Amino acid sequence: MRVAVVGAGGWGEHHARIFSRREDTELVAVCGRTPARTRARAERYGATPYTDLDEMLRVERPELVTVCLPNEDHYDVTLKLVRTGVPLLVEKPLVFDLTEADTLLDEAGDRFFAINFNHRYAEPVQRAKALIDAGELGDLIFATWRFGGEANHGRSPHANLIETQCHGFDMLEHLVGPISAVSAHLTDKTYGAFSTLALAVDFENRAVGTMLGTYDSSYAYPDTQRIEINGTKGRLVIHDTVRALTFSKAGDPVEQRWHSTYFDDEARNFAGTFDRHVDALLTALRAGDQPPVHARAGRRALALAHATIESHETGRRVSIT
């Protein structure tokens, strides 16, 4: 399968790495805005560099295009690619504006349009989902999400909420179920943007939850990312996405713990969660199926973020429609 990567930035290197090293894909192009950086990236992974998207599409005719651009610059390029009909994998966030998100999805129709919520493919997350689906936690009662480190400054005052905590919205709904309402507290104490936020959430299944997301912390801290889910029969905790999963049964002081084994480097590699997502994505694409994580999930996370903003601005609990 001929694959082109649009974007020559930091996380975009993982796009190039994955598709250049697989036996079932050929990385044919890297398309970027900066000629020197694009050329260097393409040379590193044996692809052809382009700074003109139309030329790249015309010459290379890729069968899959992946997009990894600066967070607030997704819309125009993604819309152009959607209109070509080429299968797409885009990085989160989908966009910052709900109208733009709706336009992208309407234009895409039923064509293959995926988003990279790679946290779903971490080994602890997959094991947690299996425990929940098997009823090992009983009825879910409450869940917590905490994630944050150093600032990633952007033009939007809600960069932390939209571009980073979208993982939290996606993960809570993936594990617990649809969120039905949010009540938000945001602070711009440090540098003017709303860099830290705390949410209370209701789920449709009548469980409740909390989210704490910040750009005022450090990724060096242990458990900088932590998910806890409690049910009537047990509790699980996911530590740092890929580091460990602990599970306890109600009333039992003995805790079960999963961690990657000595030779299992892949399972503790955060970037490897993207490799796993690509495995599932290519399987679906070749089978003619919809992607395992459709771009609609990006629109959903954005809708929850906008409800959070509304709650903060109005001081009211906001129901999700």
Side-chain angles (χ1 to χ4, degrees), residues 9-287:
W11 188 251
E13 181 150 20
H14 290 292
H15 289 240
R17 170 187 61 81
I18 290 169
F19 291 105
S20 68
R21 296 180 183 178
R22 293 182 65 98
E23 294 182 354
D24 58 351
T25 59
E26 177 188 4
L27 181 65
V28 297
V30 174
C31 186
R33 299 178 297 177
T34 306
R37 174 184 284 186
T38 304
R39 182 172 60 253
R41 176 68 50 79
E43 289 176 354
R44 185 177 306 145
Y45 292 103
T48 302
Y50 291 87
T51 54
D52 186 305
L53 181 61
D54 292 325
E55 181 187 9
M56 184 276 288
L57 294 170
R58 176 176 53 81
V59 173
E60 301 295 346
R61 297 187 179 277
E63 297 165 277
L64 171 68
V65 174
T66 77
V67 184
C68 185
L69 295 173
N71 287 309
E72 294 173 66
D73 298 324
H74 289 190
Y75 178 68
D76 291 337
V77 171
T78 304
L79 181 61
K80 175 179 281 192
L81 288 166
V82 162
R83 286 173 171 168
T84 69
V86 65
L88 281 181
L89 167 63
V90 299
E91 276 298 335
K92 59 78 192 172
L94 182 60
V95 283
F96 276 62
D97 181 84
L98 278 170
T99 300
E100 292 179 350
D102 289 335
T103 298
L104 292 174
L105 291 168
D106 289 344
E107 292 275 352
D110 60 0
R111 293 192 290 272
F112 195 92
F113 189 16
I115 192 166
N116 185 32
F117 279 136
N118 56 298
H119 285 224
R120 294 194 193 190
Y121 289 87
E123 185 72 19
V125 172
Q126 294 193 323
R127 288 174 177 266
K129 185 75 164 69
L131 286 169
I132 293 167
D133 290 348
E136 293 293 331
L137 273 70
D139 290 332
L140 301 184
I141 305 300
F142 69 89
T144 66
W145 161 276
R146 185 181 74 213
F147 184 37
E150 297 85 7
N152 181 22
H153 297 288
R155 298 190 301 273
S156 170
H158 295 290
N160 173 39
L161 172 65
I162 293 174
E163 70 191 26
T164 297
Q165 304 312 321
C166 59
H167 281 299
F169 289 128
D170 183 70
M171 192 56 54
L172 286 175
E173 293 206 322
H174 179 59
L175 295 174
V176 182
I179 293 171
S180 60
V182 297
S183 181
H185 298 270
L186 282 64
T187 181
D188 57 358
K189 182 177 181 180
T190 54
Y191 59 90
F194 292 104
S195 52
T196 294
L197 59 101
L199 311 182
V201 304
D202 292 324
F203 294 93
E204 287 184 6
N205 62 10
R206 298 180 62 212
V208 296
T210 62
M211 286 183 63
L212 179 64
T214 183
Y215 277 169
D216 299 313
S217 186
S218 172
Y219 291 117
Y221 298 153
D223 269 358
T224 192
Q225 198 279 316
R226 189 178 192 274
I227 303 170
E228 177 181 342
I229 300 176
N230 282 251
T232 55
K233 293 169 57 178
R235 181 190 80 160
L236 63 81
V237 180
I238 297 168
H239 304 268
D240 286 329
T241 310
V242 295
R243 183 162 60 86
L245 169 70
T246 56
F247 171 64
S248 302
K249 294 182 179 180
D252 187 349
V254 178
E255 179 183 82
Q256 301 177 39
R257 180 181 179 88
W258 174 89
H259 63 275
S260 59
T261 58
Y262 181 81
F263 290 108
D264 189 11
D265 292 331
E266 183 274 338
R268 58 174 163 258
N269 176 12
F270 179 78
T273 61
F274 186 16
D275 296 63
R276 290 180 172 201
H277 184 190
V278 168
D279 286 341
L281 181 142
L282 291 176
T283 297
L285 180 55
R286 288 193 170 97

